[in-house]
Structure formats: structure tokens, C-alpha cells
Amino acid sequence: MESRQTTVSLRVRGYHLDGYGHVNNARYLEFLEEGRWAFFDERPALAGVVQRRGVAFVAVNLNIDYRRAAGAGEDLEVVTGLAELGTRSARMHQDIRRARDGKLVASADVTFVLLDVRANKAVAIEGELRDALSPLVVAQ
């Protein structure tokens, strides 16, 4: 059985840093985005359902807690999982941890809807979309 979570490793580069030598707060959003892309890339069956239905995952809310600073050369891991599945939206939980000791650097909850690309409006999460997403929910 496949894991319900995805882990992506990345290294902090100089261009990620702010004037204080820490990862700039906006860069964490990019790290989180990388984790979400990997989550969906690892699930080609889900991608097939999304493509057939003509929908796209669209973030509508993001809450992030910054726990500790990360600096140049540090290796980080972004752990992504589907935390909640509603009828019209869903929530992904993500943690960014230092690879060397597992300490939490940041955590985030991203709420998304499924957008009908042609109609440009959110659609209910039902049928084969719900069937594809339901087994991926991680109990918290």
C-alpha cells in the first residue's frame, strides 16, 4: 500500500535567504508548493481523474506557522498529506523539518477547492474525485 504522505527533500540556497541570513518567509510558500506538486505527481491515478473531469486544484486559504529559522546549506524535508476532505473543499497539512534532526521549521494548512476549468467555478468533491481522494486522508 502506498504512503498517504509525500516527503520532498531540498537544500536551502543563498537566493532563498533574507538580509538576516535566514530563509525569507515568502520562500517557504515555494517550498510548500514543491511538496504539493510532488504529492500529486506521486499519484498518477488521481491525476487521471482530475484530467478527465477537467478540474484544477486551487488554493483558497493558507495558514503557516514559522517555528525556527533555516539557513544556507541546510537540508529540509517537506512532508505533505491530505488532512481533511469536505464536500466543497479539502485541506492539506504540511510540515517543513530539518533533515539532520527532524526539528520542525514551519507547518502549514492549505485549503483548496476543485475548480471546473471551463466554467471557472468550484465544483463539489463527489463521485470519482471523492473516491480518489478519500483513501489519501491522513488521520491527525
Side-chain angles (χ1 to χ4, degrees):
M1 181 172 146
E2 73 176 311
S3 171
R4 288 188 247 170
Q5 293 181 309
T6 296
T7 301
V8 171
S9 298
L10 56 91
R11 176 159 293 162
V12 175
R13 305 293 182 189
Y15 64 88
H16 294 137
L17 306 181
D18 60 20
Y20 300 107
H22 305 126
V23 172
N24 181 282
N25 65 312
R27 291 294 184 164
Y28 286 105
L29 303 179
E30 294 172 359
F31 297 169
L32 295 167
E33 182 83 3
E34 184 67 31
R36 291 191 304 278
W37 275 94
F39 181 88
F40 293 111
D41 283 349
E42 289 182 8
R43 292 159 179 83
L46 175 58
V49 172
V50 167
Q51 187 174 31
R52 278 194 303 280
R53 291 283 308 268
V55 297
F57 291 91
V58 177
V60 295
N61 183 272
L62 171 73
N63 292 300
I64 185 168
D65 290 316
Y66 301 100
R67 305 294 183 168
R68 59 181 36 88
E74 285 196 75
D75 292 317
L76 303 177
E77 294 179 333
V78 182
V79 180
T80 302
L82 186 60
E84 186 179 355
L85 184 62
T87 57
R88 300 207 46 95
S89 66
R91 181 176 54 85
M92 298 191 94
H93 180 77
Q94 297 181 273
D95 287 330
I96 300 175
R97 297 185 175 279
R98 286 195 310 221
R100 66 182 155 94
D101 60 11
K103 292 206 175 195
L104 189 62
V105 173
S107 62
D109 286 298
V110 180
T111 301
F112 65 87
V113 298
L114 290 164
L115 184 76
D116 180 319
V117 177
R118 294 180 80 189
N120 197 33
K121 70 178 203 174
V123 297
I125 302 173
E126 59 189 12
E128 67 178 336
L129 280 169
R130 184 166 211 78
D131 293 344
L133 289 167
S134 291
L136 300 176
V137 176
V138 176
Q140 289 191 344

